[in-house]
Amino acid sequence: ATTLAQVHQDVIEMFELSKELYEKGQINADTTFAEQMYLSNVEYVNDNGLESLLQFHNIDVRILDAFEYYVENEHSHDVYSSLAQNYYFSSLEEVRLLFMMVETYKIILKDIGVSANLSGGLYAQRMSWGCAVAIAATLVTTISAIWVTGGAALIVWLIEKGLATAAIIDACS
């Protein structure tokens, strides 16, 4: 539980730093390649489904269950203990991916205005909770496949660019 909490805190700090770098225009990565990879992954998700994309990138699909559990219970005082007891994580990288997906999802909720009950937001009438999860997971899968220093900055860049929703919204509606 302590390790899960620490990895999550590390991811939060990484996202905060990445947002600062993005806002200063200091993304230290090949955004063109990231964009192409993301669009390719979106096409894959649209054709084969999210679970298939995760399997293609050798990510255990049970991460989606752990993600859903965390999101539904994040305000519980024992959420990390419960995660540790109920879900098997094969590596710290898998834990990092989980919390990157959580933090990406939160950015999507905040910046796009999607919520689990579809209230408010620019895309709320067309996008379900599951679609927001698909966007978050596809972004994280993309970045994990091309991980470079400042990888979270690429997630922020893709979201802020609007590419994250523009490329996948039609498949979700």
Side-chain angles (χ1 to χ4, degrees), residues 19-111:
K19 187 156 179 82
E20 288 175 29
L21 291 174
Y22 170 78
E23 290 169 353
K24 293 177 182 176
Q26 298 175 341
I27 295 178
N28 194 16
D30 181 356
T31 55
T32 302
F33 184 70
E35 184 175 346
Q36 291 170 345
M37 176 71 112
Y38 176 72
L39 291 173
S40 174
N41 281 338
V42 166
E43 183 177 341
Y44 193 93
V45 167
N46 289 339
D47 292 345
N48 304 293
L50 181 58
E51 288 184 3
S52 183
L53 176 71
L54 294 175
Q55 290 170 337
F56 180 77
H57 287 285
N58 297 315
I59 299 171
D60 189 337
V61 297
R62 291 178 291 182
I63 198 169
L64 295 173
D65 294 332
F67 168 84
E68 184 174 355
Y69 178 84
Y70 180 84
V71 169
E72 290 176 356
N73 297 284
E74 73 177 304
H75 300 295
S76 171
H77 71 283
D78 67 344
V79 67
Y80 298 110
S81 295
S82 295
L83 273 174
Q85 291 173 353
N86 295 309
Y87 297 95
Y88 171 77
F89 299 102
S90 61
S91 66
L92 285 177
E93 181 59 28
E94 192 172 83
V95 173
R96 188 175 299 107
L97 288 175
L98 168 65
F99 290 118
M100 285 179 65
M101 194 180 335
V102 165
E103 294 307 311
T104 300
Y105 176 75
K106 287 179 181 181
I107 292 171
I108 291 168
L109 291 180
K110 180 179 174 261
D111 290 356

